[in-house]
Amino acid sequence: MGKAAALKIPLKLALVCVWLLVGGGCGEDEGASQTPYGSADQVRAYRLQTNPLIDWVNSLEQEVQRRAVGASGQATAENLAAVYQYAQPLLQDARDSFDRITPPPRLEELHRDMRQVMSLRLEAYAAVLAGWALQQEQGQNAQSDTLYQQAEAQLAQANALIVAVNQELKKVDLALGEAEGENPVVS
């Protein structure tokens, strides 16, 4: 065996060791605190990335709700179209930012669900905007009504999914607190 071949094996071994040390290995870090969702460090890092986006999306939704109700006290197609036109690119940007976050493997399903909430809202916004444009062009008709009904169904689906997402996020946060030695009742 030549000198070059002898150097390749230790170099490969060294690269594998480095990869394992930085978390690329299949197993969990033996010394790290664990949660049912992965290492506490991974879960904490993920929650630190997602929390600001979740908070921002929630505040946008509150603003949408507030602005959608006009002087009549009811959300009209006109009010909804105006606020959805404003909110749509903001929510799209939030979803794009969310897509750049890589969840720990055991949180991938929850991550998909959170993304789905945003996607359903975006689809509902698009349906209302299309319905309003059609209504402006042709007057209230069956097509615009169908689009509004589609939007209502998508928003209802998003709201139902939010409940499940929030319940799972609470479980994740409790597990993280327990793994890090925090008292979840006090914190």
Side-chain angles (χ1 to χ4, degrees), residues 42-43 46 59 76 90 141 160:
Q42 288 176 332
V43 174
Y46 175 72
S59 70
T76 64
L90 299 173
N141 61 39

Side-chain angles (χ1 to χ4, degrees), residues 84 88 121-132 147 150-151 154:
Y84 288 171
Q88 190 176 39
R121 285 183 180 166
L122 285 167
E123 291 167 15
Y125 293 0
V128 168
L129 290 170
W132 178 245
L147 288 167
Q150 174 188 334
Q154 289 165 323

Side-chain angles (χ1 to χ4, degrees), residues 4-5 14 20 34 36 41 52 63 71 76 85 87 92 96-97 102 105 111 122 134 141 143 170 172 174 178:
L20 288 171
Q34 295 297 310
D41 291 341
E63 182 178 357
T76 64
Q85 188 170 8
Q92 180 65 51
D96 292 346
S97 294
T102 303
H111 192 81
L122 285 167
L134 190 62
N141 61 39
Q143 280 185 299
K170 286 179 185 177
V172 170
L174 282 172
E178 289 173 8

Side-chain angles (χ1 to χ4, degrees), residues 129-150:
L129 290 170
W132 178 245
L134 190 62
Q135 186 176 339
Q136 291 299 104
E137 187 178 295
Q138 300 174 4
Q140 187 80 23
N141 61 39
Q143 280 185 299
S144 61
D145 288 345
T146 299
L147 288 167
Y148 296 147
Q149 290 169 0
Q150 174 188 334

Side-chain angles (χ1 to χ4, degrees), residues 29 43 108 117 119 124-125 145 147 163 166:
D29 182 1
V43 174
E108 287 175 353
V117 168
S119 294
Y125 293 0
D145 288 345
L147 288 167
V163 172
N166 283 337

